[in-house]
Amino acid sequence: MTVPWRLRLNPILCTGHALCAELLPEVIVLDEWGYPILSPVPDELLSLARRAVADCPTLALAIEPAP
Amino acid sequence: MNGLLWYSTRATGEVALLFLTGVVVLGVLSAVRFGGRRVPRFVIAGMHRNLTLAGLGFLAVHAGTAILDSYAPIDLADAVVPFASAYRPIWLGLGTVAFDTLLILTVTSLLRTRIGVRRWRVLHWSAYACWVTAFVHALGTGSDVRVPVFLLLAGVCGAVVLAVVAWRIAAPGPRRRGLRAGAALTALIVLVFVIGWSADGPLRPGWAKRAGTPARTPDSAGR
Ligand code: SF4
Protein backbone atom coordinates (compact mmCIF):
# COMPACT_ATOMS: atom_id res chain seq x y z
CA MET A 1 0.00 0.00 0.00
CA THR A 2 1.36 3.39 -0.91
CA VAL A 3 1.17 6.26 1.50
CA PRO A 4 1.05 9.36 -0.66
CA TRP A 5 -0.01 12.01 1.87
CA ARG A 6 1.22 13.34 5.14
CA LEU A 7 -0.01 15.83 7.70
CA ARG A 8 2.15 18.59 9.00
CA LEU A 9 1.62 20.31 12.34
CA ASN A 10 2.46 23.86 13.20
CA PRO A 11 3.31 23.35 16.87
CA ILE A 12 3.13 27.07 17.63
CA LEU A 13 -0.48 27.34 16.48
CA CYS A 14 -1.67 24.05 17.95
CA THR A 15 -3.49 24.53 21.23
CA GLY A 16 -4.12 20.87 21.91
CA HIS A 17 -7.86 20.95 21.23
CA ALA A 18 -7.57 17.27 20.26
CA LEU A 19 -10.39 17.59 17.77
CA CYS A 20 -8.15 16.19 15.06
CA ALA A 21 -7.34 13.07 17.07
CA GLU A 22 -11.02 12.34 17.64
CA LEU A 23 -11.68 12.59 13.95
CA LEU A 24 -8.68 10.63 12.77
CA PRO A 25 -7.46 8.30 15.49
CA GLU A 26 -5.81 6.05 12.89
CA VAL A 27 -3.33 8.76 12.00
CA ILE A 28 -3.23 11.12 14.95
CA VAL A 29 -2.51 10.08 18.50
CA LEU A 30 -1.98 12.48 21.36
CA ASP A 31 1.12 12.72 23.47
CA GLU A 32 0.79 12.97 27.22
CA TRP A 33 0.20 16.73 27.07
CA GLY A 34 -2.57 16.38 24.54
CA TYR A 35 -0.57 17.41 21.49
CA PRO A 36 -0.84 15.36 18.31
CA ILE A 37 1.71 12.91 17.00
CA LEU A 38 1.15 12.31 13.31
CA SER A 39 1.67 9.32 11.09
CA PRO A 40 1.34 9.09 7.29
CA VAL A 41 -2.15 9.33 5.77
CA PRO A 42 -3.29 6.40 3.64
CA ASP A 43 -5.43 7.19 0.62
CA GLU A 44 -8.68 5.96 2.09
CA LEU A 45 -8.39 8.42 4.99
CA LEU A 46 -7.64 11.41 2.82
CA SER A 47 -11.10 12.98 3.01
CA LEU A 48 -11.19 12.63 6.79
CA ALA A 49 -7.72 14.12 6.97
CA ARG A 50 -8.90 17.08 4.89
CA ARG A 51 -11.76 17.57 7.31
CA ALA A 52 -9.39 17.46 10.28
CA VAL A 53 -7.31 20.15 8.58
CA ALA A 54 -10.36 22.34 7.96
CA ASP A 55 -11.92 21.80 11.39
CA CYS A 56 -8.85 22.32 13.56
CA PRO A 57 -9.83 25.36 15.63
CA THR A 58 -6.51 27.08 15.10
CA LEU A 59 -5.78 25.71 11.61
CA ALA A 60 -2.55 24.21 12.89
CA LEU A 61 -2.64 21.27 10.49
CA ALA A 62 -1.76 21.12 6.84
CA ILE A 63 -1.89 18.22 4.45
CA GLU A 64 0.63 17.74 1.69
CA PRO A 65 1.85 15.02 -0.66
CA ALA A 66 4.47 12.87 0.99
CA PRO A 67 7.90 13.55 -0.52
CA MET B 1 -52.54 30.84 -0.61
CA ASN B 2 -51.72 34.21 0.82
CA GLY B 3 -52.62 33.01 4.27
CA LEU B 4 -50.31 30.05 3.84
CA LEU B 5 -47.41 32.28 2.82
CA TRP B 6 -48.00 34.66 5.68
CA TYR B 7 -48.07 31.82 8.19
CA SER B 8 -44.96 30.21 6.64
CA THR B 9 -43.06 33.44 7.05
CA ARG B 10 -43.86 33.58 10.71
CA ALA B 11 -43.27 29.87 11.36
CA THR B 12 -39.94 29.70 9.52
CA GLY B 13 -38.80 32.85 11.31
CA GLU B 14 -39.50 31.25 14.65
CA VAL B 15 -37.76 28.02 13.67
CA ALA B 16 -34.78 30.03 12.43
CA LEU B 17 -34.54 31.79 15.80
CA LEU B 18 -34.48 28.41 17.47
CA PHE B 19 -31.78 27.15 15.09
CA LEU B 20 -29.62 30.24 15.47
CA THR B 21 -29.85 29.85 19.22
CA GLY B 22 -28.61 26.28 18.84
CA VAL B 23 -25.81 27.53 16.61
CA VAL B 24 -24.71 30.04 19.26
CA VAL B 25 -24.77 27.36 21.93
CA LEU B 26 -22.69 24.96 19.82
CA GLY B 27 -20.30 27.75 18.88
CA VAL B 28 -19.72 28.63 22.51
CA LEU B 29 -19.25 24.95 23.34
CA SER B 30 -16.49 24.83 20.71
CA ALA B 31 -14.93 28.00 22.01
CA VAL B 32 -14.80 26.84 25.61
CA ARG B 33 -13.46 23.48 24.40
CA PHE B 34 -16.35 21.50 25.73
CA GLY B 35 -16.30 17.88 24.68
CA GLY B 36 -14.51 14.65 25.26
CA ARG B 37 -15.17 10.98 24.94
CA ARG B 38 -18.94 11.16 25.11
CA VAL B 39 -19.47 14.22 22.94
CA PRO B 40 -16.53 14.44 20.56
CA ARG B 41 -15.45 17.94 19.64
CA PHE B 42 -15.63 17.31 15.93
CA VAL B 43 -19.29 16.39 16.38
CA ILE B 44 -19.93 19.75 18.05
CA ALA B 45 -18.05 21.52 15.27
CA GLY B 46 -19.97 19.59 12.61
CA MET B 47 -23.33 20.30 14.22
CA HIS B 48 -22.45 23.96 14.55
CA ARG B 49 -21.85 24.08 10.82
CA ASN B 50 -24.81 21.97 9.74
CA LEU B 51 -27.29 23.75 11.97
CA THR B 52 -26.14 27.05 10.48
CA LEU B 53 -26.72 25.74 6.97
CA ALA B 54 -30.15 24.41 7.94
CA GLY B 55 -30.96 27.75 9.56
CA LEU B 56 -29.99 29.52 6.34
CA GLY B 57 -32.41 27.24 4.51
CA PHE B 58 -35.24 28.26 6.83
CA LEU B 59 -34.25 31.90 6.45
CA ALA B 60 -34.40 31.58 2.68
CA VAL B 61 -37.98 30.33 2.97
CA HIS B 62 -38.68 32.99 5.61
CA ALA B 63 -37.58 35.80 3.30
CA GLY B 64 -39.00 34.19 0.17
CA THR B 65 -42.50 33.77 1.56
CA ALA B 66 -42.43 37.27 3.05
CA ILE B 67 -41.67 38.65 -0.40
CA LEU B 68 -44.21 36.49 -2.23
CA ASP B 69 -47.20 37.12 -0.04
CA SER B 70 -49.07 40.30 -0.68
CA TYR B 71 -50.20 41.23 2.84
CA ALA B 72 -46.98 42.96 3.69
CA PRO B 73 -45.37 45.15 1.04
CA ILE B 74 -41.90 43.59 1.05
CA ASP B 75 -39.86 43.16 -2.13
CA LEU B 76 -36.79 41.22 -3.16
CA ALA B 77 -34.36 44.05 -2.44
CA ASP B 78 -35.58 44.20 1.17
CA ALA B 79 -34.13 40.73 1.70
CA VAL B 80 -30.58 42.03 1.23
CA VAL B 81 -30.73 45.83 1.52
CA PRO B 82 -31.66 46.85 5.06
CA PHE B 83 -33.96 49.66 6.23
CA ALA B 84 -35.59 50.40 2.87
CA SER B 85 -38.85 48.49 3.16
CA ALA B 86 -42.30 50.01 3.40
CA TYR B 87 -43.24 47.48 6.06
CA ARG B 88 -41.81 48.20 9.54
CA PRO B 89 -38.56 49.48 7.97
CA ILE B 90 -36.37 49.48 11.07
CA TRP B 91 -37.42 46.13 12.48
CA LEU B 92 -37.48 44.37 9.15
CA GLY B 93 -34.13 45.98 8.34
CA LEU B 94 -32.57 44.45 11.44
CA GLY B 95 -33.56 41.04 10.11
CA THR B 96 -31.87 41.87 6.83
CA VAL B 97 -28.72 42.98 8.67
CA ALA B 98 -28.69 39.72 10.63
CA PHE B 99 -29.22 37.71 7.45
CA ASP B 100 -26.38 39.47 5.63
CA THR B 101 -24.09 39.03 8.63
CA LEU B 102 -24.96 35.35 8.83
CA LEU B 103 -24.18 34.93 5.15
CA ILE B 104 -20.79 36.60 5.58
CA LEU B 105 -20.02 34.50 8.64
CA THR B 106 -20.96 31.31 6.83
CA VAL B 107 -18.93 32.05 3.72
CA THR B 108 -15.87 33.14 5.70
CA SER B 109 -16.13 30.01 7.83
CA LEU B 110 -16.36 27.72 4.84
CA LEU B 111 -13.29 29.46 3.39
CA ARG B 112 -11.52 29.61 6.72
CA THR B 113 -8.40 27.78 5.51
CA ARG B 114 -7.93 30.50 2.88
CA ILE B 115 -8.76 33.48 5.04
CA GLY B 116 -6.59 32.60 8.03
CA VAL B 117 -7.58 32.04 11.63
CA ARG B 118 -7.00 35.54 12.93
CA ARG B 119 -9.13 37.34 10.41
CA TRP B 120 -11.76 34.64 10.66
CA ARG B 121 -11.87 34.94 14.45
CA VAL B 122 -12.25 38.72 14.41
CA LEU B 123 -15.14 38.40 11.97
CA HIS B 124 -16.69 35.61 13.97
CA TRP B 125 -17.09 37.81 17.04
CA SER B 126 -19.93 39.48 15.18
CA ALA B 127 -21.88 36.22 15.49
CA TYR B 128 -23.10 37.40 18.89
CA ALA B 129 -24.25 40.71 17.44
CA CYS B 130 -25.91 38.76 14.63
CA TRP B 131 -27.95 36.74 17.10
CA VAL B 132 -29.02 39.82 19.09
CA THR B 133 -30.00 41.60 15.89
CA ALA B 134 -32.06 38.64 14.78
CA PHE B 135 -33.70 38.47 18.20
CA VAL B 136 -34.69 42.14 18.20
CA HIS B 137 -35.96 41.68 14.65
CA ALA B 138 -38.11 38.76 15.80
CA LEU B 139 -39.69 40.85 18.53
CA GLY B 140 -39.94 44.04 16.51
CA THR B 141 -41.32 42.57 13.30
CA GLY B 142 -43.12 39.50 14.55
CA SER B 143 -46.86 39.73 14.57
CA ASP B 144 -47.17 37.03 17.24
CA VAL B 145 -45.07 38.65 19.90
CA ARG B 146 -47.72 38.69 22.59
CA VAL B 147 -48.81 35.13 21.94
CA PRO B 148 -47.72 32.96 24.90
CA VAL B 149 -45.99 30.32 22.77
CA PHE B 150 -43.85 32.95 21.09
CA LEU B 151 -43.05 34.57 24.41
CA LEU B 152 -41.97 31.19 25.71
CA LEU B 153 -39.79 30.56 22.65
CA ALA B 154 -38.17 33.99 22.84
CA GLY B 155 -37.72 33.75 26.59
CA VAL B 156 -36.06 30.34 26.41
CA CYS B 157 -33.80 31.37 23.51
CA GLY B 158 -32.81 34.56 25.30
CA ALA B 159 -32.09 32.80 28.58
CA VAL B 160 -30.05 30.08 26.89
CA VAL B 161 -27.91 32.54 24.95
CA LEU B 162 -27.40 34.63 28.07
CA ALA B 163 -26.26 31.54 29.94
CA VAL B 164 -23.73 30.44 27.33
CA VAL B 165 -22.40 33.99 26.93
CA ALA B 166 -21.82 34.06 30.69
CA TRP B 167 -20.11 30.68 30.41
CA ARG B 168 -17.93 31.97 27.61
CA ILE B 169 -16.93 35.04 29.60
CA ALA B 170 -16.10 33.00 32.68
CA ALA B 171 -14.43 30.11 30.82
CA PRO B 172 -10.87 29.19 31.74
CA GLY B 173 -8.12 30.17 29.33
CA PRO B 174 -5.92 33.21 28.92
CA ARG B 175 -7.01 35.63 31.61
CA ARG B 176 -7.34 38.88 29.68
CA ARG B 177 -9.25 40.60 32.42
CA GLY B 178 -9.97 43.73 30.40
CA LEU B 179 -11.45 41.82 27.49
CA ARG B 180 -13.65 39.73 29.76
CA ALA B 181 -14.85 42.73 31.73
CA GLY B 182 -15.58 44.57 28.50
CA ALA B 183 -17.55 41.62 27.15
CA ALA B 184 -19.52 41.30 30.38
CA LEU B 185 -20.32 45.01 30.40
CA THR B 186 -21.41 44.93 26.76
CA ALA B 187 -23.62 41.91 27.42
CA LEU B 188 -25.19 43.66 30.39
CA ILE B 189 -25.89 46.85 28.46
CA VAL B 190 -27.42 44.89 25.59
CA LEU B 191 -29.53 42.88 28.03
CA VAL B 192 -30.89 45.95 29.83
CA PHE B 193 -31.53 47.65 26.53
CA VAL B 194 -33.39 44.71 24.98
CA ILE B 195 -35.52 44.15 28.08
CA GLY B 196 -36.36 47.83 28.43
CA TRP B 197 -37.14 48.18 24.77
CA SER B 198 -39.40 45.13 24.58
CA ALA B 199 -41.32 46.07 27.70
CA ASP B 200 -42.00 49.48 26.27
CA GLY B 201 -42.38 48.41 22.64
CA PRO B 202 -43.54 45.06 21.28
CA LEU B 203 -44.94 43.82 24.58
CA ARG B 204 -47.32 46.77 24.85
CA PRO B 205 -50.52 46.98 22.81
CA GLY B 206 -50.48 49.05 19.66
CA TRP B 207 -46.92 48.12 18.70
CA ALA B 208 -47.83 47.09 15.15
CA LYS B 209 -48.91 50.64 14.37
CA ARG B 210 -45.98 52.29 16.09
CA ALA B 211 -43.55 49.91 14.35
CA GLY B 212 -44.60 51.21 10.95
CA THR B 213 -47.07 48.65 9.69
CA PRO B 214 -48.98 50.00 6.69
CA ALA B 215 -52.70 50.11 7.42
CA ARG B 216 -53.75 47.37 5.02
CA THR B 217 -52.01 44.37 6.60
CA PRO B 218 -54.44 42.11 8.43
CA ASP B 219 -52.68 42.10 11.77
CA SER B 220 -52.61 45.85 12.12
CA ALA B 221 -56.16 45.85 13.34
CA GLY B 222 -56.56 45.46 17.06
CA ARG B 223 -52.93 44.87 18.04
S1 SF4 C 1 -7.25 20.03 16.33
FE1 SF4 C 1 -5.63 21.48 15.82
S2 SF4 C 1 -5.21 22.56 17.72
FE2 SF4 C 1 -6.32 20.68 18.23
S3 SF4 C 1 -4.75 19.16 18.70
FE3 SF4 C 1 -5.31 18.96 16.56
S4 SF4 C 1 -3.85 20.26 15.47
FE4 SF4 C 1 -3.75 20.86 17.60
Side-chain angles (χ1 to χ4, degrees):
Chain A
M1 192 181 68
T2 57
V3 179
W5 298 92
R6 72 167 186 198
L7 285 163
R8 216 162 30 117
L9 177 77
N10 180 335
I12 297 173
L13 290 181
C14 175
T15 47
H17 274 80
L19 182 145
C20 54
E22 291 172 346
L23 200 56
L24 211 60
E26 300 90 336
V27 171
I28 305 173
V29 292
L30 299 177
D31 68 15
E32 54 189 302
W33 297 281
Y35 288 90
I37 304 168
L38 310 167
S39 24
V41 179
D43 253 341
E44 64 271 21
L45 292 177
L46 185 57
S47 69
L48 272 177
R50 289 226 160 92
R51 188 166 152 203
V53 170
D55 280 2
C56 164
T58 57
L59 294 182
L61 288 170
I63 189 155
E64 59 186 18
Chain B
M1 186 61 192
N2 240 331
L4 184 67
L5 290 170
W6 185 238
Y7 281 109
S8 312
T9 304
R10 290 147 69 174
T12 48
E14 282 159 24
V15 173
L17 180 62
L18 203 60
F19 274 42
L20 289 188
T21 302
V23 168
V24 170
V25 171
L26 290 162
V28 169
L29 288 182
S30 294
V32 301
R33 306 188 187 185
F34 179 85
R37 241 168 229 293
R38 275 157 169 269
V39 194
R41 291 184 178 89
F42 75 87
V43 171
I44 293 175
M47 277 170 63
H48 178 64
R49 174 180 42 221
N50 292 346
L51 212 56
T52 309
L53 297 176
L56 274 175
F58 275 100
L59 286 176
V61 179
H62 177 62
T65 51
I67 293 164
L68 286 178
D69 105 322
S70 53
Y71 283 154
I74 300 169
D75 58 35
L76 189 57
D78 296 333
V80 272
V81 184
F83 307 123
S85 78
Y87 179 82
R88 303 194 185 187
I90 296 174
W91 313 112
L92 187 78
L94 289 179
T96 309
V97 170
F99 182 59
D100 291 344
T101 313
L102 186 63
L103 273 183
I104 293 171
L105 288 174
T106 310
V107 171
T108 51
S109 292
L110 294 176
L111 298 175
R112 201 168 64 113
T113 45
R114 312 256 170 94
I115 291 168
V117 190
R118 291 182 120 213
R119 253 174 282 178
W120 168 83
R121 178 167 303 148
V122 169
L123 277 172
H124 226 73
W125 279 110
S126 64
Y128 296 100
C130 177
W131 185 89
V132 172
T133 315
F135 187 75
V136 172
H137 158 76
L139 289 171
T141 319
S143 36
D144 308 308
V145 173
R146 295 195 295 135
V147 176
V149 181
F150 180 85
L151 281 179
L152 184 71
L153 176 81
V156 168
C157 289
V160 165
V161 167
L162 199 63
V164 292
V165 165
W167 186 4
R168 176 82 175 93
I169 290 174
R175 284 168 109 203
R176 296 204 238 149
R177 286 252 172 84
L179 195 65
R180 286 171 193 251
L185 192 67
T186 313
L188 200 68
I189 292 173
V190 171
L191 178 69
V192 169
F193 178 79
V194 170
I195 289 180
W197 165 78
S198 7
D200 189 47
L203 299 181
R204 258 184 34 209
W207 169 251
K209 203 160 165 218
R210 280 180 284 140
T213 310
R216 63 191 184 81
T217 53
D219 66 313
S220 55
R223 282 192 192 237

